[in-house]
Amino acid sequence: ADYVILDLGAGNDYNTADLFLDADDGIVVTNNDTFSIHDAYGFIRVALLRKLQRTFRNWPEIMDMLEQVGHIGNGSVVQPMKDILRQMSRFPNTLKLLIGKQIDAFRAKVILNAVEETDSRHEIQALRLAAKDLLNVHLDYWGQIRFDENIRTAIRNLRPDLFLSADGNASEDIVRMVSTNIIARELKAENLESNGWAKLDTHSHIQNTEHHVPICSFRCIAWNCCAKRNGGAPCTILSPVPIRKAASF
């Protein structure tokens, strides 16, 4: 398979955090309500601590400091990560650089799920700010999945084939996210931006991409299975027109 998706479900245990960290893309999916955002932050904090614990397990002094941030099992917070980093300032420069490199490399992706037009974006912005202020990490916002009645119908009728109905909001948004965050990255399409925090203030979540449309080629990762394959012509999957349509309200 070209891609394998693991649904880790809820939980802050070691196994869940390890699978999240070992993935090429660790994605946190959250609803746009206070409790979901709180849980998302708790998992991100646990994953970061687990990453640092795995890296510095042979450094007792660092491990003791990480314990002050909070116990990884119950999600309690004793000290913000920034306070711990300040305490680490006495370490040798090479070790401080390694710690900083590990934190910088932690870039969890965030998807906002079941979004309705009237929903505020304050909660998801609060998650970004909390991660930056308390954990000293940056999150990558991959976008939103709008509320879709087809999803509810599929669950009620036990019809998984309806989850991604061709005319549904959810399918359009998922296609957009896959195109802009995965396929475009693989094709190195620099005109498509992966970090979408700047676009949260409006209900329109797509930027101007009128130029630099990738050309269909056998080098594409989807060449062998793409139903729109047309070598030498502009890619109709990554064309800005369908992407804009899929992303707009």
Tab-separated table of all heavy atoms in Angstrom, residues 70-131:
chain	number	residue	atom	x	y	z
A	70	GLY	N	4.525	16.857	34.182
A	70	GLY	CA	3.265	16.164	34.464
A	70	GLY	C	3.406	14.693	34.200
A	70	GLY	O	4.215	14.258	33.376
A	71	HIS	N	2.645	13.895	34.916
A	71	HIS	CA	2.708	12.446	34.746
A	71	HIS	C	2.045	12.065	33.432
A	71	HIS	O	0.903	12.451	33.163
A	71	HIS	CB	2.016	11.743	35.916
A	71	HIS	CG	2.273	10.282	35.940
A	71	HIS	ND1	1.541	9.379	35.187
A	71	HIS	CD2	3.191	9.547	36.614
A	71	HIS	CE1	1.996	8.153	35.402
A	71	HIS	NE2	2.986	8.227	36.270
A	72	ILE	N	2.755	11.288	32.629
A	72	ILE	CA	2.259	10.987	31.287
A	72	ILE	C	0.977	10.162	31.310
A	72	ILE	O	0.204	10.162	30.361
A	72	ILE	CB	3.354	10.252	30.474
A	72	ILE	CG1	3.016	10.294	28.986
A	72	ILE	CG2	3.500	8.825	30.925
A	72	ILE	CD1	4.155	9.846	28.103
A	73	GLY	N	0.691	9.492	32.407
A	73	GLY	CA	-0.486	8.639	32.447
A	73	GLY	C	-1.781	9.359	32.749
A	73	GLY	O	-2.829	8.996	32.246
A	74	ASN	N	-1.729	10.409	33.605
A	74	ASN	CA	-2.984	11.046	34.001
A	74	ASN	C	-3.186	12.426	33.409
A	74	ASN	O	-4.215	13.057	33.649
A	74	ASN	CB	-3.077	11.127	35.534
A	74	ASN	CG	-1.915	11.917	36.136
A	74	ASN	OD1	-1.358	12.804	35.516
A	74	ASN	ND2	-1.563	11.566	37.372
A	75	GLY	N	-2.223	12.923	32.647
A	75	GLY	CA	-2.417	14.186	31.951
A	75	GLY	C	-2.316	15.418	32.828
A	75	GLY	O	-2.637	16.517	32.395
A	76	SER	N	-1.854	15.280	34.084
A	76	SER	CA	-1.726	16.453	34.936
A	76	SER	C	-0.541	17.305	34.491
A	76	SER	O	0.436	16.812	33.953
A	76	SER	CB	-1.525	16.018	36.395
A	76	SER	OG	-0.331	15.256	36.522
A	77	VAL	N	-0.657	18.589	34.710
A	77	VAL	CA	0.416	19.512	34.344
A	77	VAL	C	0.939	20.180	35.598
A	77	VAL	O	0.184	20.787	36.352
A	77	VAL	CB	-0.089	20.594	33.358
A	77	VAL	CG1	1.010	21.588	33.061
A	77	VAL	CG2	-0.581	19.941	32.075
A	78	VAL	N	2.226	20.029	35.849
A	78	VAL	CA	2.846	20.635	37.017
A	78	VAL	C	3.558	21.921	36.626
A	78	VAL	O	3.398	22.952	37.262
A	78	VAL	CB	3.821	19.658	37.693
A	78	VAL	CG1	4.460	20.301	38.907
A	78	VAL	CG2	3.088	18.381	38.089
A	79	GLN	N	4.350	21.871	35.573
A	79	GLN	CA	5.051	23.049	35.078
A	79	GLN	C	4.951	23.094	33.558
A	79	GLN	O	5.020	22.052	32.908
A	79	GLN	CB	6.526	23.027	35.480
A	79	GLN	CG	6.803	23.239	36.945
A	79	GLN	CD	8.291	23.464	37.192
A	79	GLN	OE1	8.930	24.281	36.542
A	79	GLN	NE2	8.840	22.724	38.140
A	80	PRO	N	4.830	24.305	32.993
A	80	PRO	CA	4.868	24.413	31.532
A	80	PRO	C	6.223	23.984	30.989
A	80	PRO	O	7.255	24.121	31.664
A	80	PRO	CB	4.614	25.903	31.279
A	80	PRO	CG	3.955	26.398	32.519
A	80	PRO	CD	4.537	25.585	33.634
A	81	MET	N	6.229	23.475	29.770
A	81	MET	CA	7.470	23.029	29.153
A	81	MET	C	8.498	24.151	29.068
A	81	MET	O	9.701	23.933	29.227
A	81	MET	CB	7.176	22.477	27.754
A	81	MET	CG	8.421	22.003	27.003
A	81	MET	SD	9.254	20.616	27.821
A	81	MET	CE	8.076	19.304	27.531
A	82	LYS	N	8.040	25.381	28.843
A	82	LYS	CA	8.976	26.499	28.733
A	82	LYS	C	9.772	26.687	30.014
A	82	LYS	O	10.954	27.026	29.985
A	82	LYS	CB	8.227	27.787	28.388
A	82	LYS	CG	7.850	27.906	26.923
A	82	LYS	CD	7.282	29.281	26.623
A	82	LYS	CE	7.088	29.466	25.135
A	82	LYS	NZ	6.558	30.808	24.796
A	83	ASP	N	9.127	26.468	31.179
A	83	ASP	CA	9.842	26.604	32.443
A	83	ASP	C	10.918	25.539	32.576
A	83	ASP	O	12.028	25.793	33.085
A	83	ASP	CB	8.867	26.498	33.617
A	83	ASP	CG	7.919	27.686	33.684
A	83	ASP	OD1	8.174	28.684	32.978
A	83	ASP	OD2	6.922	27.609	34.428
A	84	ILE	N	10.597	24.335	32.116
A	84	ILE	CA	11.580	23.251	32.170
A	84	ILE	C	12.751	23.556	31.239
A	84	ILE	O	13.917	23.322	31.580
A	84	ILE	CB	10.922	21.911	31.793
A	84	ILE	CG1	9.770	21.595	32.750
A	84	ILE	CG2	11.951	20.787	31.786
A	84	ILE	CD1	10.183	21.477	34.196
A	85	LEU	N	12.457	24.095	30.064
A	85	LEU	CA	13.525	24.422	29.119
A	85	LEU	C	14.462	25.481	29.690
A	85	LEU	O	15.675	25.434	29.452
A	85	LEU	CB	12.920	24.898	27.791
A	85	LEU	CG	12.162	23.842	26.984
A	85	LEU	CD1	11.552	24.471	25.736
A	85	LEU	CD2	13.085	22.693	26.607
A	86	ARG	N	13.901	26.411	30.424
A	86	ARG	CA	14.763	27.422	31.050
A	86	ARG	C	15.683	26.787	32.080
A	86	ARG	O	16.850	27.184	32.225
A	86	ARG	CB	13.899	28.510	31.687
A	86	ARG	CG	13.379	29.540	30.697
A	86	ARG	CD	12.819	30.763	31.417
A	86	ARG	NE	11.551	30.472	32.064
A	86	ARG	CZ	10.377	30.639	31.479
A	86	ARG	NH1	10.327	31.117	30.235
A	86	ARG	NH2	9.262	30.356	32.109
A	87	GLN	N	15.185	25.780	32.794
A	87	GLN	CA	16.028	25.093	33.754
A	87	GLN	C	17.149	24.315	33.067
A	87	GLN	O	18.211	24.091	33.637
A	87	GLN	CB	15.187	24.138	34.599
A	87	GLN	CG	14.156	24.817	35.491
A	87	GLN	CD	13.355	23.814	36.291
A	87	GLN	OE1	13.882	22.784	36.721
A	87	GLN	NE2	12.072	24.089	36.491
A	88	MET	N	16.879	23.894	31.822
A	88	MET	CA	17.879	23.132	31.075
A	88	MET	C	18.974	24.019	30.492
A	88	MET	O	19.896	23.518	29.844
A	88	MET	CB	17.198	22.351	29.942
A	88	MET	CG	16.267	21.248	30.423
A	88	MET	SD	15.476	20.363	29.045
A	88	MET	CE	14.506	19.140	29.924
A	89	SER	N	18.872	25.316	30.718
A	89	SER	CA	19.865	26.235	30.144
A	89	SER	C	21.269	25.993	30.685
A	89	SER	O	22.259	26.408	30.073
A	89	SER	CB	19.446	27.686	30.402
A	89	SER	OG	19.374	27.944	31.801
A	90	ARG	N	21.357	25.310	31.839
A	90	ARG	CA	22.679	25.048	32.416
A	90	ARG	C	23.376	23.848	31.771
A	90	ARG	O	24.548	23.592	32.047
A	90	ARG	CB	22.556	24.819	33.918
A	90	ARG	CG	21.797	23.559	34.307
A	90	ARG	CD	21.782	23.388	35.824
A	90	ARG	NE	21.146	22.166	36.245
A	90	ARG	CZ	19.852	22.047	36.501
A	90	ARG	NH1	19.054	23.100	36.323
A	90	ARG	NH2	19.339	20.888	36.908
A	91	PHE	N	22.663	23.122	30.928
A	91	PHE	CA	23.258	21.970	30.269
A	91	PHE	C	24.268	22.419	29.225
A	91	PHE	O	24.232	23.564	28.747
A	91	PHE	CB	22.181	21.110	29.599
A	91	PHE	CG	21.260	20.418	30.563
A	91	PHE	CD1	20.011	19.966	30.164
A	91	PHE	CD2	21.643	20.192	31.880
A	91	PHE	CE1	19.165	19.331	31.049
A	91	PHE	CE2	20.804	19.555	32.773
A	91	PHE	CZ	19.563	19.121	32.356
A	92	PRO	N	25.176	21.527	28.822
A	92	PRO	CA	26.123	21.859	27.744
A	92	PRO	C	25.381	22.249	26.468
A	92	PRO	O	24.261	21.789	26.215
A	92	PRO	CB	26.910	20.558	27.551
A	92	PRO	CG	26.784	19.841	28.858
A	92	PRO	CD	25.425	20.186	29.393
A	93	ASN	N	25.995	23.098	25.665
A	93	ASN	CA	25.347	23.612	24.458
A	93	ASN	C	24.910	22.498	23.506
A	93	ASN	O	23.846	22.583	22.894
A	93	ASN	CB	26.280	24.578	23.730
A	93	ASN	CG	26.412	25.906	24.457
A	93	ASN	OD1	25.519	26.298	25.202
A	93	ASN	ND2	27.520	26.593	24.244
A	94	THR	N	25.724	21.461	23.378
A	94	THR	CA	25.373	20.375	22.459
A	94	THR	C	24.086	19.676	22.900
A	94	THR	O	23.246	19.310	22.074
A	94	THR	CB	26.507	19.342	22.382
A	94	THR	OG1	26.867	18.916	23.724
A	94	THR	CG2	27.736	19.946	21.714
A	95	LEU	N	23.915	19.526	24.214
A	95	LEU	CA	22.709	18.877	24.729
A	95	LEU	C	21.498	19.797	24.576
A	95	LEU	O	20.407	19.352	24.205
A	95	LEU	CB	22.904	18.499	26.191
A	95	LEU	CG	21.759	17.718	26.858
A	95	LEU	CD1	21.427	16.471	26.064
A	95	LEU	CD2	22.124	17.366	28.294
A	96	LYS	N	21.689	21.085	24.827
A	96	LYS	CA	20.592	22.041	24.651
A	96	LYS	C	20.138	22.076	23.194
A	96	LYS	O	18.937	22.156	22.906
A	96	LYS	CB	21.023	23.439	25.104
A	96	LYS	CG	21.140	23.584	26.610
A	96	LYS	CD	21.329	25.026	27.017
A	96	LYS	CE	22.667	25.560	26.551
A	96	LYS	NZ	22.914	26.926	27.046
A	97	LEU	N	21.087	22.014	22.277
A	97	LEU	CA	20.732	22.005	20.861
A	97	LEU	C	19.946	20.755	20.495
A	97	LEU	O	19.000	20.805	19.702
A	97	LEU	CB	21.996	22.113	19.998
A	97	LEU	CG	22.700	23.468	20.000
A	97	LEU	CD1	24.021	23.387	19.231
A	97	LEU	CD2	21.808	24.539	19.378
A	98	LEU	N	20.346	19.628	21.084
A	98	LEU	CA	19.640	18.377	20.807
A	98	LEU	C	18.208	18.431	21.341
A	98	LEU	O	17.265	17.992	20.670
A	98	LEU	CB	20.391	17.201	21.431
A	98	LEU	CG	19.766	15.817	21.239
A	98	LEU	CD1	19.605	15.495	19.760
A	98	LEU	CD2	20.611	14.745	21.925
A	99	ILE	N	18.031	18.972	22.531
A	99	ILE	CA	16.691	19.107	23.105
A	99	ILE	C	15.831	20.005	22.226
A	99	ILE	O	14.678	19.683	21.904
A	99	ILE	CB	16.773	19.667	24.541
A	99	ILE	CG1	17.475	18.678	25.458
A	99	ILE	CG2	15.368	19.989	25.067
A	99	ILE	CD1	17.805	19.230	26.833
A	100	GLY	N	16.387	21.151	21.835
A	100	GLY	CA	15.652	22.068	20.977
A	100	GLY	C	15.299	21.450	19.635
A	100	GLY	O	14.192	21.660	19.112
A	101	LYS	N	16.211	20.654	19.097
A	101	LYS	CA	15.962	19.996	17.810
A	101	LYS	C	14.819	19.002	17.919
A	101	LYS	O	13.977	18.902	17.015
A	101	LYS	CB	17.227	19.294	17.339
A	101	LYS	CG	17.116	18.645	15.970
A	101	LYS	CD	18.437	18.017	15.541
A	101	LYS	CE	18.317	17.366	14.172
A	101	LYS	NZ	19.597	16.740	13.748
A	102	GLN	N	14.760	18.262	19.017
A	102	GLN	CA	13.683	17.286	19.208
A	102	GLN	C	12.316	17.969	19.324
A	102	GLN	O	11.321	17.497	18.773
A	102	GLN	CB	13.956	16.447	20.465
A	102	GLN	CG	15.136	15.502	20.347
A	102	GLN	CD	14.926	14.450	19.272
A	102	GLN	OE1	13.870	13.842	19.195
A	102	GLN	NE2	15.934	14.233	18.449
A	103	ILE	N	12.283	19.096	20.028
A	103	ILE	CA	11.010	19.817	20.177
A	103	ILE	C	10.601	20.448	18.855
A	103	ILE	O	9.424	20.404	18.471
A	103	ILE	CB	11.139	20.890	21.285
A	103	ILE	CG1	11.338	20.198	22.639
A	103	ILE	CG2	9.895	21.784	21.317
A	103	ILE	CD1	11.545	21.149	23.794
A	104	ASP	N	11.554	21.014	18.122
A	104	ASP	CA	11.239	21.623	16.826
A	104	ASP	C	10.724	20.589	15.831
A	104	ASP	O	9.909	20.894	14.960
A	104	ASP	CB	12.478	22.321	16.246
A	104	ASP	CG	12.843	23.579	17.013
A	104	ASP	OD1	11.975	24.104	17.748
A	104	ASP	OD2	14.000	24.033	16.900
A	105	ALA	N	11.231	19.351	15.954
A	105	ALA	CA	10.838	18.293	15.017
A	105	ALA	C	9.446	17.758	15.310
A	105	ALA	O	8.865	17.056	14.476
A	105	ALA	CB	11.852	17.148	15.059
A	106	PHE	N	8.924	18.085	16.473
A	106	PHE	CA	7.585	17.618	16.839
A	106	PHE	C	6.570	18.569	16.226
A	106	PHE	O	6.332	19.671	16.718
A	106	PHE	CB	7.440	17.587	18.361
A	106	PHE	CG	6.090	17.097	18.814
A	106	PHE	CD1	5.826	15.734	18.895
A	106	PHE	CD2	5.081	17.980	19.164
A	106	PHE	CE1	4.589	15.276	19.321
A	106	PHE	CE2	3.840	17.538	19.581
A	106	PHE	CZ	3.594	16.180	19.666
A	107	ARG	N	5.949	18.174	15.118
A	107	ARG	CA	4.980	19.022	14.423
A	107	ARG	C	3.698	18.228	14.192
A	107	ARG	O	3.477	17.656	13.121
A	107	ARG	CB	5.545	19.518	13.086
A	107	ARG	CG	6.752	20.415	13.216
A	107	ARG	CD	6.415	21.707	13.922
A	107	ARG	NE	5.545	22.552	13.139
A	107	ARG	CZ	5.993	23.561	12.392
A	107	ARG	NH1	7.279	23.836	12.327
A	107	ARG	NH2	5.134	24.306	11.703
A	108	ALA	N	2.890	18.150	15.226
A	108	ALA	CA	1.617	17.440	15.089
A	108	ALA	C	0.715	18.183	14.110
A	108	ALA	O	0.679	19.411	14.078
A	108	ALA	CB	0.934	17.322	16.447
A	109	LYS	N	-0.008	17.418	13.313
A	109	LYS	CA	-0.975	17.991	12.379
A	109	LYS	C	-2.350	18.001	13.050
A	109	LYS	O	-2.686	17.091	13.803
A	109	LYS	CB	-1.045	17.179	11.086
A	109	LYS	CG	0.128	17.389	10.142
A	109	LYS	CD	1.401	16.752	10.612
A	109	LYS	CE	2.515	16.892	9.582
A	109	LYS	NZ	3.788	16.347	10.088
A	110	VAL	N	-3.140	19.021	12.751
A	110	VAL	CA	-4.448	19.173	13.371
A	110	VAL	C	-5.515	19.306	12.296
A	110	VAL	O	-5.349	20.053	11.332
A	110	VAL	CB	-4.495	20.405	14.295
A	110	VAL	CG1	-5.885	20.562	14.901
A	110	VAL	CG2	-3.450	20.289	15.395
A	111	ILE	N	-6.610	18.535	12.472
A	111	ILE	CA	-7.774	18.638	11.590
A	111	ILE	C	-8.990	18.950	12.450
A	111	ILE	O	-9.221	18.290	13.470
A	111	ILE	CB	-8.005	17.336	10.804
A	111	ILE	CG1	-6.869	17.111	9.797
A	111	ILE	CG2	-9.345	17.363	10.073
A	111	ILE	CD1	-6.968	15.783	9.044
A	112	LEU	N	-9.755	19.944	12.047
A	112	LEU	CA	-10.979	20.315	12.748
A	112	LEU	C	-12.149	19.602	12.085
A	112	LEU	O	-12.386	19.760	10.890
A	112	LEU	CB	-11.155	21.834	12.686
A	112	LEU	CG	-12.185	22.469	13.622
A	112	LEU	CD1	-11.859	22.147	15.078
A	112	LEU	CD2	-12.224	23.971	13.413
A	113	ASN	N	-12.886	18.819	12.866
A	113	ASN	CA	-13.910	17.942	12.309
A	113	ASN	C	-15.329	18.456	12.598
A	113	ASN	O	-15.570	19.163	13.572
A	113	ASN	CB	-13.747	16.538	12.896
A	113	ASN	CG	-14.581	15.505	12.180
A	113	ASN	OD1	-14.828	15.615	10.980
A	113	ASN	ND2	-15.033	14.495	12.903
A	114	ALA	N	-16.262	18.081	11.708
A	114	ALA	CA	-17.696	18.369	11.883
A	114	ALA	C	-17.966	19.856	12.081
A	114	ALA	O	-18.704	20.265	12.971
A	114	ALA	CB	-18.265	17.561	13.041
A	115	VAL	N	-17.366	20.670	11.232
A	115	VAL	CA	-17.478	22.129	11.372
A	115	VAL	C	-18.734	22.629	10.661
A	115	VAL	O	-19.020	22.234	9.529
A	115	VAL	CB	-16.235	22.817	10.775
A	115	VAL	CG1	-16.378	24.332	10.850
A	115	VAL	CG2	-14.982	22.361	11.499
A	116	GLU	N	-19.465	23.493	11.333
A	116	GLU	CA	-20.618	24.139	10.730
A	116	GLU	C	-20.294	25.606	10.456
A	116	GLU	O	-19.383	26.179	11.071
A	116	GLU	CB	-21.835	24.011	11.641
A	116	GLU	CG	-22.192	22.548	11.921
A	116	GLU	CD	-23.596	22.385	12.465
A	116	GLU	OE1	-24.531	22.905	11.842
A	116	GLU	OE2	-23.737	21.727	13.508
A	117	GLU	N	-21.028	26.214	9.539
A	117	GLU	CA	-20.706	27.562	9.093
A	117	GLU	C	-20.733	28.572	10.221
A	117	GLU	O	-19.987	29.556	10.204
A	117	GLU	CB	-21.668	28.000	7.983
A	117	GLU	CG	-21.454	27.278	6.661
A	117	GLU	CD	-22.229	27.933	5.535
A	117	GLU	OE1	-22.382	29.167	5.560
A	117	GLU	OE2	-22.685	27.214	4.631
A	118	THR	N	-21.577	28.361	11.192
A	118	THR	CA	-21.701	29.321	12.283
A	118	THR	C	-20.686	29.097	13.392
A	118	THR	O	-20.632	29.878	14.347
A	118	THR	CB	-23.113	29.249	12.877
A	118	THR	OG1	-23.369	27.911	13.329
A	118	THR	CG2	-24.156	29.648	11.841
A	119	ASP	N	-19.881	28.054	13.299
A	119	ASP	CA	-18.921	27.750	14.359
A	119	ASP	C	-17.835	28.815	14.444
A	119	ASP	O	-17.332	29.297	13.428
A	119	ASP	CB	-18.257	26.386	14.114
A	119	ASP	CG	-19.180	25.235	14.443
A	119	ASP	OD1	-20.261	25.493	15.002
A	119	ASP	OD2	-18.821	24.085	14.128
A	120	SER	N	-17.451	29.127	15.664
A	120	SER	CA	-16.331	30.030	15.890
A	120	SER	C	-15.028	29.258	15.743
A	120	SER	O	-14.981	28.040	15.903
A	120	SER	CB	-16.427	30.636	17.295
A	120	SER	OG	-15.231	31.279	17.652
A	121	ARG	N	-13.951	29.971	15.434
A	121	ARG	CA	-12.627	29.346	15.351
A	121	ARG	C	-11.796	29.650	16.604
A	121	ARG	O	-10.603	29.385	16.634
A	121	ARG	CB	-11.884	29.833	14.107
A	121	ARG	CG	-12.597	29.581	12.782
A	121	ARG	CD	-12.863	28.103	12.544
A	121	ARG	NE	-13.336	27.858	11.190
A	121	ARG	CZ	-14.594	27.949	10.819
A	121	ARG	NH1	-15.517	28.306	11.700
A	121	ARG	NH2	-14.950	27.697	9.572
A	122	HIS	N	-12.418	30.206	17.629
A	122	HIS	CA	-11.667	30.605	18.810
A	122	HIS	C	-11.048	29.403	19.522
A	122	HIS	O	-9.915	29.481	20.015
A	122	HIS	CB	-12.573	31.375	19.774
A	122	HIS	CG	-13.035	32.690	19.226
A	122	HIS	ND1	-14.133	33.364	19.710
A	122	HIS	CD2	-12.538	33.466	18.221
A	122	HIS	CE1	-14.299	34.489	19.043
A	122	HIS	NE2	-13.350	34.573	18.130
A	123	GLU	N	-11.778	28.292	19.589
A	123	GLU	CA	-11.271	27.132	20.324
A	123	GLU	C	-10.035	26.538	19.657
A	123	GLU	O	-9.059	26.197	20.331
A	123	GLU	CB	-12.365	26.059	20.443
A	123	GLU	CG	-13.475	26.391	21.420
A	123	GLU	CD	-14.521	27.317	20.825
A	123	GLU	OE1	-14.400	27.656	19.630
A	123	GLU	OE2	-15.457	27.701	21.554
A	124	ILE	N	-10.068	26.409	18.336
A	124	ILE	CA	-8.911	25.822	17.651
A	124	ILE	C	-7.710	26.756	17.701
A	124	ILE	O	-6.562	26.325	17.787
A	124	ILE	CB	-9.279	25.453	16.184
A	124	ILE	CG1	-8.176	24.582	15.558
A	124	ILE	CG2	-9.548	26.680	15.357
A	124	ILE	CD1	-8.054	23.215	16.146
A	125	GLN	N	-7.963	28.061	17.693
A	125	GLN	CA	-6.875	29.009	17.862
A	125	GLN	C	-6.309	28.908	19.269
A	125	GLN	O	-5.090	29.044	19.477
A	125	GLN	CB	-7.353	30.443	17.589
A	125	GLN	CG	-7.579	30.761	16.121
A	125	GLN	CD	-6.272	30.948	15.354
A	125	GLN	OE1	-5.209	30.521	15.805
A	125	GLN	NE2	-6.361	31.566	14.199
A	126	ALA	N	-7.160	28.662	20.243
A	126	ALA	CA	-6.703	28.498	21.616
A	126	ALA	C	-5.787	27.283	21.738
A	126	ALA	O	-4.810	27.299	22.499
A	126	ALA	CB	-7.896	28.360	22.567
A	127	LEU	N	-6.095	26.216	20.991
A	127	LEU	CA	-5.231	25.029	20.993
A	127	LEU	C	-3.854	25.375	20.458
A	127	LEU	O	-2.834	24.977	21.029
A	127	LEU	CB	-5.872	23.920	20.145
A	127	LEU	CG	-5.031	22.665	19.948
A	127	LEU	CD1	-4.743	21.985	21.275
A	127	LEU	CD2	-5.729	21.697	18.995
A	128	ARG	N	-3.806	26.108	19.367
A	128	ARG	CA	-2.516	26.505	18.792
A	128	ARG	C	-1.707	27.344	19.777
A	128	ARG	O	-0.509	27.111	19.970
A	128	ARG	CB	-2.737	27.288	17.503
A	128	ARG	CG	-1.454	27.812	16.874
A	128	ARG	CD	-1.743	28.542	15.581
A	128	ARG	NE	-2.433	29.795	15.805
A	128	ARG	CZ	-1.817	30.966	15.992
A	128	ARG	NH1	-0.497	31.013	16.021
A	128	ARG	NH2	-2.517	32.073	16.161
A	129	LEU	N	-2.366	28.307	20.399
A	129	LEU	CA	-1.666	29.192	21.328
A	129	LEU	C	-1.211	28.449	22.578
A	129	LEU	O	-0.116	28.696	23.089
A	129	LEU	CB	-2.570	30.361	21.703
A	129	LEU	CG	-2.922	31.314	20.562
A	129	LEU	CD1	-3.930	32.360	21.027
A	129	LEU	CD2	-1.667	31.989	20.003
A	130	ALA	N	-2.044	27.519	23.081
A	130	ALA	CA	-1.664	26.747	24.263
A	130	ALA	C	-0.455	25.872	23.973
A	130	ALA	O	0.457	25.754	24.805
A	130	ALA	CB	-2.843	25.900	24.729
A	131	ALA	N	-0.443	25.250	22.799
A	131	ALA	CA	0.703	24.415	22.429
A	131	ALA	C	1.979	25.244	22.337
A	131	ALA	O	3.049	24.809	22.763
A	131	ALA	CB	0.423	23.719	21.102
